[in-house]
Amino acid sequence: MEFNKDKKIVFSGVQPSGMLTIGNYLGAIKNWKTLEENYNCIYCVVNEHAITVRQDPAELRKRTYETLAIFIASGLDPEKNLFFVQSHVPAHAELAWVLNCYTMFGELSRMTQFKDKSAKHSDNINAGLFTYPVLMAADILLYNASLVPVGMDQKQHIEITRDIAKRFNEAYSETFTIPEPYFMESGTKICSLTDPTKKMSKSDENENSRISLMDSRDDIIRKFKRAVTDSGTEVKFEEGKDGINNLMNIYSCLTGKTIKEIEKEFEGKGYGEFKLAVGEACADSLSGLQAEFNRLMADKSYLENVMKNGSDYANYLANKMMSKVYRKLGFLQIK
Ligand code: TRP
């Protein structure tokens, strides 16, 4: 693996904290394929972020393989994209420590994700949860990433990353590239099937709120049938009809049809028929991904090989940056 110097760097991270959902897939991973040719893309399995909430060790280990397998099963080419596991590159934790000293208590206290997560895990408001954005800044800044494809919910994290990078650059001269969030046009937000005002989440307690990428055909169809919709009857995209809008949006992502085309297709037909069509389209389009995923999960040595190659190159890139940072800081480096 070698990056092309003329192309910009893209970095994104996915936590191995649960089977990914169609929200992660349609809203993010599926669209990353379009970046492959024009950017040097880095996708990291961020297991260090995952332990800011309690994880079962065996489960975390399994999810680490699974997250990588999903990247590859989604069609991302391991020869063209750099995949690695965060804990295989110690520089993430090292740079995070340095950046902690350039991040203010006050600005971390204002992060909405910290406030939300500490409300949700009130028995475990640990320091890692508080400094989570600093580790994320380290992920991005280590590789001079220009673009960070993320959902809207991560916007504040990119903003703080920019602030930290600027602060460091101002103190020590140009060191880090200032990254920008990259909200992909085709990756609209996929919402919960049981509460369409909320984002679909892989950690929601209610299984019926999400379609996991590995759900069976029957489960997928059943969950869409039971998806919350309003009391209307017409399949029309309208302000305030969050449930039906979400299903139309999902159907559009799955089939490539526009909202207008979907309205036409289901003119005079009820919600029931539409929900069944969404379920079937979803099951159909996931079946290839599922087969490929199962094949990859049965070949751990292949996945480990991808991780190993990825972390070799990532360590090389990251260590170059660490050396620059340590030099600027005045940390003595002995060879
Ligand atoms: N915080 C991100 C999320 O939960 C995951 C993440 C960690 C990330 N490090 C990153 C995303 C760096 C983009 C870039 O979705």
Side-chain angles (χ1 to χ4, degrees):
M1 158 87 46
E2 182 138 10
F3 279 171
N4 178 334
K5 294 219 162 37
D6 301 328
K7 292 179 183 172
K8 288 187 175 173
I9 295 173
V10 165
F11 186 103
S12 197
V14 177
Q15 294 195 49
S17 55
M19 179 42 80
L20 298 176
T21 70
I22 56 164
N24 305 110
Y25 179 64
L26 299 174
I29 300 172
K30 189 173 176 228
N31 308 305
W32 293 350
K33 183 75 187 159
T34 60
L35 305 173
E36 199 172 77
E37 301 300 334
N38 301 323
Y39 299 95
N40 297 312
C41 299
I42 311 178
Y43 301 112
C44 182
V45 182
V46 290
N47 55 353
E48 293 170 344
H49 281 98
I51 61 162
T52 56
V53 304
R54 290 286 173 260
Q55 301 289 338
D56 173 67
E59 194 68 9
L60 182 60
R61 208 170 285 128
K62 184 174 109 209
R63 299 288 183 209
T64 304
Y65 286 109
E66 287 181 351
T67 308
L68 177 64
I70 293 284
F71 290 162
I72 303 172
S74 305
L76 298 173
D77 185 346
E79 302 288 321
K80 293 187 183 154
N81 299 276
L82 176 57
F83 299 130
F84 68 94
V85 176
Q86 192 179 31
S87 63
H88 294 163
V89 182
H92 289 249
E94 291 170 5
L95 184 60
W97 175 258
V98 171
L99 298 180
N100 266 320
C101 303
Y102 297 83
T103 307
M104 300 302 136
F105 186 88
E107 60 189 340
L108 289 175
S109 312
R110 288 191 292 274
M111 302 303 289
T112 54
Q113 188 167 304
F114 172 68
K115 291 191 233 171
D116 292 348
K117 285 200 181 168
S118 31
K120 209 169 145 197
H121 304 275
S122 56
D123 55 336
N124 182 24
I125 308 178
N126 61 73
L129 198 60
F130 189 63
T131 61
Y132 179 113
V134 184
L135 179 59
M136 181 160 162
D139 295 341
I140 299 166
L141 299 178
L142 262 181
Y143 302 94
N144 280 320
S146 305
L147 296 175
V148 186
V150 280
M152 267 314 209
D153 63 318
Q154 296 296 314
K155 192 166 169 240
Q156 206 184 17
H157 285 158
I158 310 300
E159 275 160 16
I160 197 173
T161 300
R162 292 167 58 87
D163 292 341
I164 297 169
K166 285 182 196 158
R167 191 172 295 144
F168 193 96
N169 285 355
E170 269 159 36
Y172 297 98
S173 79
E174 214 54 29
T175 308
F176 299 121
T177 301
I178 310 299
E180 270 174 54
Y182 189 35
F183 306 118
M184 308 195 67
E185 40 184 308
S186 47
T188 39
K189 179 168 130 189
I190 308 292
C191 295
S192 156
L193 300 184
T194 48
D195 177 0
T197 60
K198 285 196 319 204
K199 185 177 156 178
M200 184 180 285
S201 161
K202 60 180 187 263
S203 52
D204 195 312
E205 302 98 53
N206 186 352
E207 284 252 3
N208 292 323
S209 71
R210 63 175 168 270
I211 305 292
S212 141
L213 291 180
M214 293 304 135
D215 277 351
S216 69
R217 185 175 189 89
D218 286 352
D219 280 342
I220 294 174
I221 291 175
R222 179 182 53 79
K223 287 182 186 177
F224 276 114
K225 265 190 194 155
R226 292 176 43 173
V228 169
T229 40
D230 55 279
S231 56
T233 50
E234 265 185 292
V235 180
K236 249 180 148 339
F237 198 96
E238 269 165 1
E239 182 76 30
K241 289 173 45 179
D242 296 322
I244 208 75
N245 293 351
N246 185 39
L247 295 182
M248 291 179 79
N249 196 10
I250 293 172
Y251 191 66
S252 166
C253 290
L254 289 166
T255 59
K257 292 174 187 165
T258 65
I259 296 295
K260 281 271 153 298
E261 288 167 344
I262 299 170
E263 286 176 350
K264 216 171 197 159
E265 184 180 345
F266 291 93
E267 213 176 289
K269 298 178 182 162
Y271 282 180
E273 200 169 328
F274 175 57
K275 286 176 171 180
L276 181 64
V278 183
E280 285 177 340
C282 184
D284 289 346
S285 74
L286 292 186
S287 72
L289 175 105
Q290 293 179 345
E292 183 59 6
F293 173 86
N294 290 327
R295 196 186 65 74
L296 289 161
M297 285 302 286
D299 191 355
K300 296 276 186 328
S301 67
Y302 170 76
L303 292 174
E304 283 168 9
N305 197 37
V306 173
M307 288 178 195
K308 177 78 180 70
N309 289 337
S311 68
D312 282 348
Y313 194 56
N315 271 303
Y316 160 77
L317 296 172
N319 288 338
K320 271 204 302 195
M321 177 59 92
M322 277 325 289
S323 169
K324 185 165 157 188
V325 168
Y326 283 166
R327 181 160 39 81
K328 299 212 181 192
L329 285 171
F331 280 7
L332 204 58
Q333 296 177 81
I334 41 176
K335 292 246 163 67

